[in-house]
Amino acid sequence: MSVGEFTASNIAMDMDEKEKAKGSIVDMAKLTADIAAQKEIAAKASPRLGLLGSWTDINSICKCVRAWGQRAQAIEGLLNLEKSSRLAEDVTATKACCSAILELCYDARDWRGLEENVMLLTKRRSQLKQAVQATVRQAMSYIDAIPAEDKDTRVSLIKTLQAVTEGKETFGAMAKTEKIAFILEQGTPALPELKLRYYQLLIRYHVHNHNYLEVTRCYRSLYEAHLEGGAPADTYLPVLKAVVWYLCLAPAYSTKDGSASDRATLLQATVSALLGTFTNTEVIRWTAFEAAYGPEVAAEAGPGGVFADSKRSEDLKLRVVEHNVLVAAKYYSRLRTARLAAILSLTPEQMEKHVSDLVVAKAITAKIDRPAGVITFAAPPSAEQQLNGWAGNIAAVARM
């Protein structure tokens, strides 16, 4: 079978051909003759009980009883053949026996008997999966043959098929080639939609946990998915804007949720004047920042917007403060606390809290001398540096 012909619609035929190629344990010639013999017994009965005449006629009643007896005898014989084939684990023979039993019920339009035998065949001990599938498939083909006005019989047969397939006709029980065909035929068209849905759910999860770096990654992937799908600009531009805002909300230092290098990589991939504000090593004046981006923040404060949660507005101001502290730590080794508080537009108490938080996060190294009103950003000397300093001092004293 060629690749173009490999679909879910013809996979069953392909599997049947493979089963035939494997050969049969049971003597199929003898089995075919035995099945034919049982069908001949059933053929002596009237094929359709509705043609027997009036039920008040004693002759009709006798014919009906005789027909039922002959058909029951034929089905009993076929069940014995099915048992032998099933215990021999011969798929082809077992399927042939099951098919013959259903045919007898269908030919007589014995819908109640069809349901009973479908239930019996599929629930038998150690029944082969392929036989169950073939039985269900054949019984399904008979649904349309039930008269349209007899809705109760149709519904009853459908419910019977649902009952026998529960837990059996599942994706996990399918053959490997059948799974591949199903995925290729059914899954591929829905993949883009599932991808978008997947990232939307991830965004909801990470937003709930305030993990802004992961939210940025998800929006970035969502943006790329929109581009791949050829979405219009009004669809992906809001997503790109969310990438920028959440990237600004992500801490500039390493945390348990991600490293500083992760943020830097995303910054390189996204160009924006807003991001440039945070990548420059310059102090951001909150008043100027609010004047420039306040309207945009307000526009994103509606339902579904980036700043729909007031905590994100607070986190944005926190990122500005942290950016300014990192800039000060880069350019100053010692600075008066009052001056740093003025640069950050904070009170001395607020300034101390933010500096302490960054020290705990290991984003900076700082030491505050409250009595002197001085903050030192220089890192403490390592043990090797201290030893070298002491050695230099001793050498200087020795030369005196």
Side-chain angles (χ1 to χ4, degrees):
M1 181 176 295
S2 65
V3 175
E5 298 171 338
F6 191 70
T7 61
S9 59
N10 58 27
I11 189 68
M13 181 177 65
D14 185 49
M15 293 298 293
D16 290 341
E17 291 173 357
K18 289 182 179 179
E19 288 167 6
K20 290 177 182 178
K22 291 179 182 177
S24 178
I25 300 173
V26 176
D27 186 348
M28 288 303 297
K30 183 177 183 303
L31 179 67
T32 302
D34 291 341
I35 292 176
Q38 299 301 327
K39 285 185 176 181
E40 187 176 347
I41 294 174
K44 296 177 182 179
S46 178
R48 300 195 185 186
L49 300 182
L51 302 177
L52 288 173
S54 173
W55 283 87
T56 59
D57 182 14
I58 188 64
N59 292 327
S60 297
I61 294 175
C62 291
K63 287 181 180 179
C64 181
V65 171
R66 187 164 54 252
W68 277 336
Q70 289 171 331
R71 187 176 303 104
Q73 180 184 349
I75 290 176
E76 186 65 29
L78 289 172
L79 286 173
N80 290 332
L81 294 175
E82 182 274 337
K83 180 180 179 181
S84 301
S85 302
R86 171 166 42 87
L87 294 179
E89 297 184 353
D90 191 315
V91 174
T92 304
T94 306
K95 288 168 63 175
C97 295
C98 293
S99 178
I101 293 171
L102 298 187
E103 284 177 8
L104 291 184
C105 296
Y106 173 73
D107 290 341
R109 297 301 190 265
D110 182 7
W111 306 118
R112 182 63 182 273
L114 178 67
E115 290 182 32
E116 291 175 353
N117 282 288
V118 166
M119 186 68 74
L120 175 64
L121 292 170
T122 55
K123 298 294 183 182
R124 301 199 87 173
R125 181 182 178 185
S126 303
Q127 185 58 279
L128 303 176
K129 179 180 66 176
Q130 295 90 333
V132 173
Q133 292 173 342
T135 300
V136 171
R137 222 166 20 231
Q138 184 172 344
M140 286 176 63
S141 68
Y142 295 152
I143 293 175
D144 292 336
I146 301 175
E149 59 273 11
D150 194 359
K151 292 183 178 179
D152 292 341
T153 301
R154 280 194 174 193
V155 172
S156 179
L157 179 56
I158 291 172
K159 287 184 177 180
T160 299
L161 293 174
Q162 287 178 333
V164 301
T165 56
E166 186 176 1
K168 293 182 179 180
E169 301 291 304
T170 61
F171 183 76
M174 294 166 66
K176 185 180 292 185
T177 51
E178 204 167 1
K179 290 179 183 178
I180 296 171
F182 178 80
I183 292 172
L184 290 176
E185 187 174 350
Q186 304 293 332
T188 303
L191 283 179
E193 295 178 10
L194 293 176
K195 190 175 183 180
L196 295 177
R197 181 62 177 158
Y198 169 73
Y199 286 121
Q200 288 166 354
L201 292 174
L202 274 183
I203 287 168
R204 288 178 58 186
Y205 172 76
H206 292 305
V207 163
H208 177 74
N209 293 326
H210 306 293
N211 188 345
Y212 300 130
L213 195 59
E214 286 300 327
V215 174
T216 303
R217 288 195 181 102
C218 292
Y219 268 114
R220 175 78 187 284
S221 299
L222 197 61
Y223 167 69
E224 292 173 351
H226 280 309
L227 288 183
E228 290 174 4
D234 58 352
T235 301
Y236 64 77
L237 284 180
V239 176
L240 186 58
K241 186 181 292 186
V243 171
V244 174
W245 277 118
Y246 278 107
L247 192 53
C248 293
L249 289 170
Y253 47 89
S254 298
T255 65
K256 62 181 179 62
D257 298 323
S259 64
S261 61
D262 295 335
R263 185 175 185 267
T265 302
L266 289 170
L267 281 169
Q268 291 173 1
T270 310
V271 179
S272 172
L274 175 61
L275 294 180
T277 304
F278 284 89
T279 54
N280 292 333
T281 54
E282 298 177 1
V283 172
I284 302 174
R285 297 292 179 183
W286 176 251
T287 53
F289 182 87
E290 195 172 25
Y293 299 105
E296 203 165 339
V297 172
E300 290 287 333
V306 176
F307 296 101
D309 187 348
S310 59
K311 185 182 185 307
R312 285 170 224 152
S313 298
E314 297 171 3
D315 288 341
L316 178 61
K317 190 170 185 177
L318 176 61
R319 296 290 95 83
V320 172
V321 172
E322 291 175 345
H323 170 82
N324 291 339
V325 173
L326 293 173
V327 170
K330 181 176 181 179
Y331 288 109
Y332 295 95
S333 58
R334 285 167 56 89
L335 187 65
R336 291 197 172 275
T337 53
R339 174 58 179 159
L340 181 58
I343 292 174
L344 301 178
S345 301
L346 299 173
T347 64
E349 292 77 14
Q350 292 173 330
M351 179 274 298
E352 283 190 15
K353 178 184 180 305
H354 288 298
V355 170
S356 300
D357 290 342
L358 289 173
V359 170
V360 172
K362 298 182 180 180
I364 61 171
T365 302
K367 184 177 181 181
I368 299 175
D369 187 347
R370 280 185 179 173
V374 174
I375 180 170
T376 304
F377 287 111
S382 63
E384 185 179 352
Q385 291 174 332
Q386 284 185 333
L387 288 174
N388 290 337
W390 291 341
N393 293 337
I394 293 172
V397 171
R399 286 195 298 269
M400 293 178 61

